Amino acid sequence: MAMSGNCRITVVGSNMIDLVSYLDRVPDRGETVFGRSFDQGFGGKGANQAVMAALLGGRVDIVTCVGDDLFGPKWFDHFKACGVGSSHITTIAGINSGVAAIWVEPAGDNRIVLSGGANDHVSPSLVDEAFDRIDATNVVLSQLEIPQPAIVRGFVHARARGAVTVLNPGPASVLGQDLLGLTDWLLPNETELRLLAREMFGLEHDDDLALARQFARKSGIKLVVTLGDRGAAYVDPAAADDAVLFAAPKVSVADTTGAGDAFAGAFAYGLAAKMGTEASVRLAIAVTADSVTRRGTSVSYARGPALDAIRQAL
């Protein structure tokens, strides 16, 4: 795992312990069903994205909070093993670490319930303290599993350092105007795009690409919309009619959990490494398509020679 000192990414985001049940079908109301199997692992959008960027060779730090439960100390070991800096993690006394209860259906689709726990305690003051010790960064990457005021502070610090800001708006919720004004790149999936477009600007359209064009014009933000097995679309508000669609390779899907995080982490790495927009999107699609062929969240991300082979094939 070769790291580049000039490719620096700061993730202001979440961590979740994933409790994954693989089901033949989801239960109806009041019904209990047996799962086919169960996995437990490290997840959360912020943590997953940080791991993906670090596996690609970025110098990554994460600003987050964990609980003082059994899970909290394990995060430090996990991040160390994955090459993610953990010196900006705060342990919150008397609070549980974040947990994600995940149901995965046979086709690989998932349903997720989050219990934020310590993630809810990521505050603007904690972010300020972290950036007091972060001398430089190329990209600041966030998600919506922590409070928006903390993300805003992270993006304020990014702007002060000349860094690019990237927001993965999941789980989808309306973005405050202060956050919107500090966001350079927005990385929603189809569902998130539809909710944001409707709730923020009253926009609706059956065609995701047309909706992305409208949203880009209204928001003034550059978009990369992930479209599942259809790939991704890049829309620049300055040239919204020239949206670029990137196809995804056909693969056998085992589990889509963490796929969007692989995309966001790889895209942020590409920007930090000055690869350019199109090369960053292609890299993100490639590592994402590979990840869904295996079960689990960040454990499904390619490593070592397997990851090198993906990059060399681009």
Side-chain angles (χ1 to χ4, degrees):
M1 181 168 35
M3 292 196 182
S4 170
N6 295 322
C7 180
R8 303 184 63 168
I9 300 154
T10 304
V11 176
V12 180
S14 59
N15 62 87
M16 299 279 177
I17 294 296
D18 290 335
L19 306 175
V20 189
S21 295
Y22 294 89
L23 309 176
D24 289 321
R25 64 177 180 84
V26 299
D28 292 329
R29 177 188 290 185
E31 182 186 22
T32 300
V33 299
F34 282 104
R36 289 183 287 115
S37 59
F38 173 82
D39 284 335
Q40 177 179 305
F42 296 98
K45 289 182 176 297
N48 292 339
Q49 293 172 21
V51 167
M52 186 74 258
L55 290 174
L56 285 164
R59 180 176 170 185
V60 183
D61 288 295
I62 187 165
V63 181
T64 193
C65 293
V66 298
D68 63 351
D69 54 8
L70 292 173
F71 296 131
K74 297 182 184 300
W75 276 108
F76 292 87
D77 295 334
H78 172 68
F79 284 130
K80 181 179 180 180
C82 295
V84 176
S86 59
S87 59
H88 307 299
I89 300 175
T90 301
T91 300
I92 306 297
I95 298 294
N96 65 283
S97 298
V99 173
I102 304 171
W103 294 351
V104 181
E105 298 177 76
D109 296 323
N110 61 65
R111 304 181 188 204
I112 303 174
V113 178
L114 302 178
S115 299
N119 292 289
D120 297 336
H121 292 259
V122 181
S123 65
S125 61
L126 284 179
V127 174
D128 287 341
E129 291 173 15
F131 275 91
D132 283 344
R133 292 176 280 133
I134 295 172
D135 57 349
T137 189
N138 303 114
V139 170
V140 175
L141 170 63
S142 283
Q143 320 75 29
L144 297 182
E145 289 180 346
I146 61 171
Q148 285 195 30
I151 302 171
V152 169
R153 288 303 301 164
F155 283 8
V156 166
H157 286 288
R159 288 288 172 89
R161 287 161 172 76
V164 175
T165 59
V166 181
L167 180 64
N168 172 217
S173 60
V174 173
L175 306 179
Q177 289 300 313
D178 51 352
L179 178 54
L180 200 66
L182 290 164
T183 301
D184 296 317
W185 289 91
L186 199 66
L187 309 181
N189 62 25
E190 305 143 288
T191 302
E192 292 157 355
L193 173 65
R194 291 171 198 149
L195 184 145
L196 292 171
R198 182 178 67 251
E199 298 298 325
M200 295 181 67
F201 301 116
L203 301 173
E204 296 194 55
H205 204 291
D206 292 336
D207 183 277
D208 291 323
L209 201 55
L211 185 60
R213 292 189 184 103
Q214 294 174 357
F215 187 93
R217 291 191 191 99
K218 280 283 189 180
S219 67
I221 297 174
K222 289 177 282 190
L223 294 179
V224 178
V225 184
T226 55
L227 303 169
D229 60 6
R230 292 184 290 152
Y234 162 52
V235 187
D236 186 328
D241 290 333
D242 297 323
V244 182
L245 186 63
F246 297 84
K250 300 300 181 185
V251 297
S252 177
V253 177
D255 183 0
T256 60
T257 310
D261 299 332
F263 188 99
F267 181 76
Y269 166 82
L271 293 182
K274 306 293 192 290
M275 290 173 55
T277 299
E278 293 198 9
S280 298
V281 174
R282 294 188 192 282
L283 173 64
I285 288 175
V287 297
T288 300
D290 174 76
S291 77
V292 302
T293 64
R294 293 178 291 277
R295 297 197 335 183
T297 47
S298 63
V299 72
S300 72
Y301 300 165
R303 288 158 165 78
L307 183 56
D308 291 340
I310 293 171
R311 300 173 74 164
Q312 290 166 8
L314 293 175

